[in-house]
Amino acid sequence: MTDVFRAHGIENYRRAETRISGGFASPDEAGILRLTPGAPVFRINAVNEDRNGIPIEWTRGCWPLTFVEFVF
């Protein structure tokens, strides 16, 4: 993403927030992920900001619980 931001004149940015939660796949999520509805999933929502605190990117993701490991 750094290269994309830089190509648009944004030299500096920071991750303002990352929220990770668990839950169960909705019918839509299950269809996209090829899971059974109600399968356990991780959900992530994140926001990047420019140096002035203006949000420049919002990310939303959903992964099957058994296929992901987060390391901080």
Side-chain angles (χ1 to χ4, degrees), residues 21-30 33 35-43 62-63 65:
S21 62
F24 300 100
S26 68
D28 287 341
E29 291 167 334
L33 297 171
L35 301 171
T36 302
V41 293
F42 271 119
R43 291 189 184 97
C62 181
W63 293 272
L65 178 65

Side-chain angles (χ1 to χ4, degrees), residues 8 13 28 35 38 41 44 48 53 66 69 71:
H8 292 277
Y13 71 96
D28 287 341
L35 301 171
V41 293
I44 229 176
N48 284 325
T66 57
E69 175 184 36
V71 179

